[in-house]
Amino acid sequence: MTLSVGCTARPGKSRENRTGAWRTFKPNFKHDKCTKCGICALICPESAVHENQDGFYDADYNYCKGCGLCAEECPAEDIEMTREEK
Amino acid sequence: MTQIMEGSHAVAEAVRLSKPGVISAYPITPQTHIVERLAEMVADGLLEADYITVESEFSALSACLGASATGVRVYSATTSQGLALMFEVCFNAAGMRLPLVMTIANRALSAPLSIWNDHQDSISLRDSGWLQLYAQDCQEAHDLHYIAYRVAEDHSVLLPAMVCFDGFVLTHTYEPVDIPGQEEVDAFLPAFSPYQRLDARDPISFGMYATPDYYMEFRYEMERAMQRAKGVLKECGKEFGERFGRDYSDLVESYRLEDADTALVAMGSLCGTVKDAIDEMRGEGKKVGLLNLRVFRPFPFEDVKKALSGVSRVAILDKNVSIGSKGAVGLEMRDTLYGTGIEILDCIAGLGGRDIRKRDVRRIVGLAEAGGGDIFYGLREEVL
């Protein structure tokens, strides 16, 4: 990357900047007691949780920062935060 | 055409002839007459600009910053507390590499409240990434605006510029000022050609964040642009001289320095007094001269060193003080002259509008010859 004059940026930089690298704890969507309520997707500040083909939910780990809000809010307690070793 | 006019109006004329598309400013003594006159010009149809009235200096410079990002030439003016309120926006405009031009009618900073002249306001923003030019008379205050626009907008520079001139001493003083015609100005200062601009059809954002991996490089690029500005200032100053007969090709002005033993160093209107004092002392056989720092940012290290290569001592008249350290000019001079063996006396003088007269200049030369240490010159010991 070369620097832009005046630190300007064009649209799409949030997509390029893979903030998943910031993560310390990783949410594991166990799909065990999950009722497919979708609160995890609604609560995710990064919109990094998406419904999959089976109607369950998964995180996009390229952008999930590991904040843990989904695990905290999951009524079925079906999301487990585990320390991620890099 | 040469006309007798107030310094503030001479600046307003330069702004009118520079054709800014947007002006935003908040009135504050002693800058008021500049923006008052510009508002009249816009109202009278003499200047086709959007004059954005705001509730504070912070908003004034923010409006200018936003307007500049859309690709229009902008103008503002302020002083003292107003400039202090612009602090954050100043750094942003420079970092976004937007070539704003702003007049500073130099005034002391509160507290205690003072509406009178010194250089503390603009000097306090010396680290902000703005070019700083200091005018010694109303004509220079007028001329330097054209040069400021040319240099700031040059694509190899792209940094904002402050044109500083002394509050009251110049803003409210009537002098003969040569006002060029619009065609002459247009030939020297063409329409603004933005390097990049906000455009809804091709969107960009200015001043995005930089992680520790990149921040330093952005600052270094600003420093490199500031160094390139020296050459651009010289070129534009030379061209200005060829077109208008007043040469600004040197970043510093040397006055009777050729064979001088003692050099005085000053900025702004004080230079006129110093020159008169030098003429008197020269008449008495004293070898003294003046170095006028017309450009303080970028600081002209090489030019200063060259101009002072023959002197044995330097006395600096610093109309500012970095409380807890020294005067800003004195610090730069010590850096520039380190290792040359030239003796340096830094005098904090003229703060808050205290007059510096010819007799003071003579006394300061005497102090420098006696080899004393840095001082606050002319303190009234009886009130301390």
mmCIF file of all heavy atoms in Angstrom, chain B residues 210-236:
data_model
loop_
_atom_site.group_PDB
_atom_site.id
_atom_site.type_symbol
_atom_site.label_atom_id
_atom_site.label_comp_id
_atom_site.label_asym_id
_atom_site.label_seq_id
_atom_site.Cartn_x
_atom_site.Cartn_y
_atom_site.Cartn_z
ATOM 1 N N ALA B 210 -5.221 6.249 10.789
ATOM 2 C CA ALA B 210 -4.024 5.483 10.439
ATOM 3 C C ALA B 210 -3.575 4.734 11.683
ATOM 4 O O ALA B 210 -3.440 5.337 12.755
ATOM 5 C CB ALA B 210 -2.919 6.397 9.941
ATOM 6 N N THR B 211 -3.364 3.446 11.537
ATOM 7 C CA THR B 211 -2.878 2.630 12.652
ATOM 8 C C THR B 211 -1.404 2.977 12.888
ATOM 9 O O THR B 211 -0.774 3.643 12.062
ATOM 10 C CB THR B 211 -3.006 1.136 12.315
ATOM 11 O OG1 THR B 211 -2.289 0.898 11.102
ATOM 12 C CG2 THR B 211 -4.467 0.731 12.135
ATOM 13 N N PRO B 212 -0.838 2.497 13.996
ATOM 14 C CA PRO B 212 0.592 2.773 14.248
ATOM 15 C C PRO B 212 1.498 2.321 13.100
ATOM 16 O O PRO B 212 2.621 2.805 12.965
ATOM 17 C CB PRO B 212 0.876 1.973 15.525
ATOM 18 C CG PRO B 212 -0.437 1.932 16.228
ATOM 19 C CD PRO B 212 -1.464 1.804 15.135
ATOM 20 N N ASP B 213 1.012 1.425 12.257
ATOM 21 C CA ASP B 213 1.819 0.972 11.119
ATOM 22 C C ASP B 213 1.993 2.064 10.062
ATOM 23 O O ASP B 213 2.890 1.978 9.224
ATOM 24 C CB ASP B 213 1.142 -0.227 10.432
ATOM 25 C CG ASP B 213 1.187 -1.464 11.299
ATOM 26 O OD1 ASP B 213 2.056 -1.506 12.195
ATOM 27 O OD2 ASP B 213 0.367 -2.371 11.087
ATOM 28 N N TYR B 214 1.111 3.060 10.062
ATOM 29 C CA TYR B 214 1.129 4.055 8.976
ATOM 30 C C TYR B 214 1.233 5.504 9.429
ATOM 31 O O TYR B 214 1.616 6.363 8.654
ATOM 32 C CB TYR B 214 -0.137 3.908 8.115
ATOM 33 C CG TYR B 214 -0.164 2.628 7.331
ATOM 34 C CD1 TYR B 214 -0.989 1.579 7.710
ATOM 35 C CD2 TYR B 214 0.662 2.455 6.223
ATOM 36 C CE1 TYR B 214 -1.000 0.381 6.999
ATOM 37 C CE2 TYR B 214 0.666 1.266 5.515
ATOM 38 C CZ TYR B 214 -0.175 0.234 5.908
ATOM 39 O OH TYR B 214 -0.168 -0.929 5.201
ATOM 40 N N TYR B 215 0.834 5.797 10.698
ATOM 41 C CA TYR B 215 0.711 7.191 11.121
ATOM 42 C C TYR B 215 1.993 7.992 10.896
ATOM 43 O O TYR B 215 1.975 9.088 10.341
ATOM 44 C CB TYR B 215 0.296 7.260 12.598
ATOM 45 C CG TYR B 215 0.070 8.676 13.071
ATOM 46 C CD1 TYR B 215 -1.171 9.287 12.908
ATOM 47 C CD2 TYR B 215 1.094 9.420 13.650
ATOM 48 C CE1 TYR B 215 -1.374 10.590 13.315
ATOM 49 C CE2 TYR B 215 0.897 10.726 14.060
ATOM 50 C CZ TYR B 215 -0.349 11.301 13.887
ATOM 51 O OH TYR B 215 -0.541 12.604 14.284
ATOM 52 N N MET B 216 3.108 7.426 11.314
ATOM 53 C CA MET B 216 4.371 8.172 11.202
ATOM 54 C C MET B 216 4.699 8.536 9.759
ATOM 55 O O MET B 216 5.238 9.614 9.489
ATOM 56 C CB MET B 216 5.534 7.372 11.801
ATOM 57 C CG MET B 216 5.724 7.667 13.269
ATOM 58 S SD MET B 216 7.121 6.794 13.987
ATOM 59 C CE MET B 216 8.508 7.604 13.221
ATOM 60 N N GLU B 217 4.382 7.642 8.852
ATOM 61 C CA GLU B 217 4.677 7.909 7.440
ATOM 62 C C GLU B 217 3.831 9.061 6.919
ATOM 63 O O GLU B 217 4.297 9.863 6.113
ATOM 64 C CB GLU B 217 4.462 6.648 6.597
ATOM 65 C CG GLU B 217 5.585 5.619 6.720
ATOM 66 C CD GLU B 217 5.623 4.915 8.053
ATOM 67 O OE1 GLU B 217 4.602 4.939 8.787
ATOM 68 O OE2 GLU B 217 6.674 4.333 8.392
ATOM 69 N N PHE B 218 2.567 9.168 7.380
ATOM 70 C CA PHE B 218 1.736 10.310 6.981
ATOM 71 C C PHE B 218 2.367 11.621 7.462
ATOM 72 O O PHE B 218 2.423 12.613 6.737
ATOM 73 C CB PHE B 218 0.313 10.181 7.535
ATOM 74 C CG PHE B 218 -0.587 9.335 6.678
ATOM 75 C CD1 PHE B 218 -1.008 8.087 7.099
ATOM 76 C CD2 PHE B 218 -1.019 9.791 5.439
ATOM 77 C CE1 PHE B 218 -1.832 7.305 6.295
ATOM 78 C CE2 PHE B 218 -1.843 9.024 4.638
ATOM 79 C CZ PHE B 218 -2.254 7.769 5.070
ATOM 80 N N ARG B 219 2.852 11.619 8.717
ATOM 81 C CA ARG B 219 3.468 12.834 9.257
ATOM 82 C C ARG B 219 4.759 13.158 8.497
ATOM 83 O O ARG B 219 5.068 14.316 8.239
ATOM 84 C CB ARG B 219 3.765 12.683 10.760
ATOM 85 C CG ARG B 219 2.566 12.302 11.590
ATOM 86 C CD ARG B 219 1.425 13.271 11.479
ATOM 87 N NE ARG B 219 1.619 14.505 12.225
ATOM 88 C CZ ARG B 219 0.709 15.477 12.294
ATOM 89 N NH1 ARG B 219 -0.452 15.352 11.680
ATOM 90 N NH2 ARG B 219 0.942 16.566 12.975
ATOM 91 N N TYR B 220 5.505 12.117 8.163
ATOM 92 C CA TYR B 220 6.755 12.326 7.426
ATOM 93 C C TYR B 220 6.471 12.923 6.045
ATOM 94 O O TYR B 220 7.207 13.797 5.573
ATOM 95 C CB TYR B 220 7.509 11.001 7.304
ATOM 96 C CG TYR B 220 8.790 11.099 6.503
ATOM 97 C CD1 TYR B 220 9.854 11.866 6.966
ATOM 98 C CD2 TYR B 220 8.926 10.436 5.295
ATOM 99 C CE1 TYR B 220 11.024 11.967 6.237
ATOM 100 C CE2 TYR B 220 10.090 10.535 4.552
ATOM 101 C CZ TYR B 220 11.135 11.309 5.023
ATOM 102 O OH TYR B 220 12.280 11.412 4.291
ATOM 103 N N GLU B 221 5.394 12.475 5.406
ATOM 104 C CA GLU B 221 5.024 13.038 4.102
ATOM 105 C C GLU B 221 4.709 14.530 4.234
ATOM 106 O O GLU B 221 5.016 15.321 3.342
ATOM 107 C CB GLU B 221 3.830 12.297 3.500
ATOM 108 C CG GLU B 221 4.158 10.902 2.986
ATOM 109 C CD GLU B 221 5.116 10.898 1.798
ATOM 110 O OE1 GLU B 221 5.545 11.984 1.342
ATOM 111 O OE2 GLU B 221 5.461 9.797 1.336
ATOM 112 N N MET B 222 4.073 14.916 5.357
ATOM 113 C CA MET B 222 3.804 16.346 5.589
ATOM 114 C C MET B 222 5.109 17.117 5.728
ATOM 115 O O MET B 222 5.266 18.217 5.202
ATOM 116 C CB MET B 222 2.944 16.531 6.834
ATOM 117 C CG MET B 222 1.513 16.045 6.661
ATOM 118 S SD MET B 222 0.616 16.005 8.217
ATOM 119 C CE MET B 222 0.414 17.757 8.529
ATOM 120 N N GLU B 223 6.054 16.519 6.438
ATOM 121 C CA GLU B 223 7.361 17.167 6.617
ATOM 122 C C GLU B 223 8.067 17.329 5.258
ATOM 123 O O GLU B 223 8.643 18.380 4.969
ATOM 124 C CB GLU B 223 8.210 16.339 7.588
ATOM 125 C CG GLU B 223 9.663 16.778 7.721
ATOM 126 C CD GLU B 223 9.834 18.226 8.168
ATOM 127 O OE1 GLU B 223 8.913 18.778 8.791
ATOM 128 O OE2 GLU B 223 10.892 18.803 7.865
ATOM 129 N N ARG B 224 7.983 16.285 4.444
ATOM 130 C CA ARG B 224 8.620 16.388 3.115
ATOM 131 C C ARG B 224 7.966 17.474 2.267
ATOM 132 O O ARG B 224 8.635 18.222 1.560
ATOM 133 C CB ARG B 224 8.526 15.040 2.382
ATOM 134 C CG ARG B 224 9.474 14.019 2.952
ATOM 135 C CD ARG B 224 9.991 13.118 1.882
ATOM 136 N NE ARG B 224 8.956 12.267 1.308
ATOM 137 C CZ ARG B 224 9.228 11.198 0.575
ATOM 138 N NH1 ARG B 224 10.477 10.849 0.359
ATOM 139 N NH2 ARG B 224 8.249 10.466 0.075
ATOM 140 N N ALA B 225 6.615 17.560 2.360
ATOM 141 C CA ALA B 225 5.894 18.601 1.610
ATOM 142 C C ALA B 225 6.336 19.984 2.095
ATOM 143 O O ALA B 225 6.522 20.918 1.303
ATOM 144 C CB ALA B 225 4.395 18.424 1.771
ATOM 145 N N MET B 226 6.504 20.113 3.418
ATOM 146 C CA MET B 226 6.921 21.397 3.996
ATOM 147 C C MET B 226 8.320 21.761 3.496
ATOM 148 O O MET B 226 8.594 22.936 3.205
ATOM 149 C CB MET B 226 6.887 21.285 5.522
ATOM 150 C CG MET B 226 6.963 22.587 6.263
ATOM 151 S SD MET B 226 5.655 23.779 5.870
ATOM 152 C CE MET B 226 4.552 23.623 7.257
ATOM 153 N N GLN B 227 9.198 20.776 3.379
ATOM 154 C CA GLN B 227 10.541 21.062 2.864
ATOM 155 C C GLN B 227 10.478 21.468 1.384
ATOM 156 O O GLN B 227 11.200 22.366 0.953
ATOM 157 C CB GLN B 227 11.468 19.848 3.058
ATOM 158 C CG GLN B 227 11.772 19.538 4.524
ATOM 159 C CD GLN B 227 12.299 20.744 5.291
ATOM 160 O OE1 GLN B 227 13.058 21.549 4.774
ATOM 161 N NE2 GLN B 227 11.871 20.884 6.547
ATOM 162 N N ARG B 228 9.608 20.794 0.612
ATOM 163 C CA ARG B 228 9.455 21.173 -0.803
ATOM 164 C C ARG B 228 8.912 22.597 -0.921
ATOM 165 O O ARG B 228 9.191 23.307 -1.892
ATOM 166 C CB ARG B 228 8.517 20.190 -1.517
ATOM 167 C CG ARG B 228 9.106 18.816 -1.767
ATOM 168 C CD ARG B 228 8.269 18.034 -2.762
ATOM 169 N NE ARG B 228 6.949 17.705 -2.269
ATOM 170 C CZ ARG B 228 6.637 16.577 -1.609
ATOM 171 N NH1 ARG B 228 7.570 15.666 -1.364
ATOM 172 N NH2 ARG B 228 5.407 16.351 -1.207
ATOM 173 N N ALA B 229 8.117 23.013 0.075
ATOM 174 C CA ALA B 229 7.516 24.355 0.039
ATOM 175 C C ALA B 229 8.579 25.447 -0.020
ATOM 176 O O ALA B 229 8.343 26.529 -0.564
ATOM 177 C CB ALA B 229 6.609 24.567 1.246
ATOM 178 N N LYS B 230 9.771 25.172 0.524
ATOM 179 C CA LYS B 230 10.836 26.196 0.489
ATOM 180 C C LYS B 230 11.155 26.577 -0.955
ATOM 181 O O LYS B 230 11.227 27.757 -1.288
ATOM 182 C CB LYS B 230 12.107 25.661 1.161
ATOM 183 C CG LYS B 230 12.001 25.528 2.663
ATOM 184 C CD LYS B 230 13.306 24.991 3.247
ATOM 185 C CE LYS B 230 13.174 24.762 4.730
ATOM 186 N NZ LYS B 230 14.373 24.093 5.290
ATOM 187 N N GLY B 231 11.341 25.578 -1.788
ATOM 188 C CA GLY B 231 11.658 25.843 -3.188
ATOM 189 C C GLY B 231 10.507 26.530 -3.901
ATOM 190 O O GLY B 231 10.713 27.462 -4.691
ATOM 191 N N VAL B 232 9.290 26.090 -3.610
ATOM 192 C CA VAL B 232 8.115 26.665 -4.267
ATOM 193 C C VAL B 232 7.935 28.120 -3.831
ATOM 194 O O VAL B 232 7.594 28.992 -4.639
ATOM 195 C CB VAL B 232 6.847 25.826 -3.971
ATOM 196 C CG1 VAL B 232 5.641 26.396 -4.691
ATOM 197 C CG2 VAL B 232 7.061 24.374 -4.372
ATOM 198 N N LEU B 233 8.174 28.385 -2.538
ATOM 199 C CA LEU B 233 8.091 29.767 -2.037
ATOM 200 C C LEU B 233 9.077 30.663 -2.782
ATOM 201 O O LEU B 233 8.744 31.789 -3.173
ATOM 202 C CB LEU B 233 8.413 29.803 -0.538
ATOM 203 C CG LEU B 233 7.260 29.522 0.436
ATOM 204 C CD1 LEU B 233 7.805 29.167 1.811
ATOM 205 C CD2 LEU B 233 6.315 30.718 0.544
ATOM 206 N N LYS B 234 10.296 30.160 -2.968
ATOM 207 C CA LYS B 234 11.323 30.960 -3.655
ATOM 208 C C LYS B 234 10.934 31.218 -5.112
ATOM 209 O O LYS B 234 11.050 32.343 -5.605
ATOM 210 C CB LYS B 234 12.678 30.251 -3.580
ATOM 211 C CG LYS B 234 13.297 30.314 -2.192
ATOM 212 C CD LYS B 234 14.598 29.534 -2.122
ATOM 213 C CE LYS B 234 15.157 29.582 -0.704
ATOM 214 N NZ LYS B 234 16.363 28.780 -0.528
ATOM 215 N N GLU B 235 10.466 30.166 -5.787
ATOM 216 C CA GLU B 235 10.065 30.318 -7.195
ATOM 217 C C GLU B 235 8.916 31.307 -7.331
ATOM 218 O O GLU B 235 8.933 32.204 -8.173
ATOM 219 C CB GLU B 235 9.601 28.970 -7.769
ATOM 220 C CG GLU B 235 10.716 28.007 -8.108
ATOM 221 C CD GLU B 235 10.186 26.595 -8.299
ATOM 222 O OE1 GLU B 235 9.011 26.450 -8.715
ATOM 223 O OE2 GLU B 235 10.933 25.656 -8.006
ATOM 224 N N CYS B 236 7.881 31.122 -6.500
ATOM 225 C CA CYS B 236 6.705 31.995 -6.584
ATOM 226 C C CYS B 236 7.077 33.417 -6.188
ATOM 227 O O CYS B 236 6.585 34.384 -6.778
ATOM 228 C CB CYS B 236 5.582 31.485 -5.687
ATOM 229 S SG CYS B 236 4.861 29.957 -6.277
#
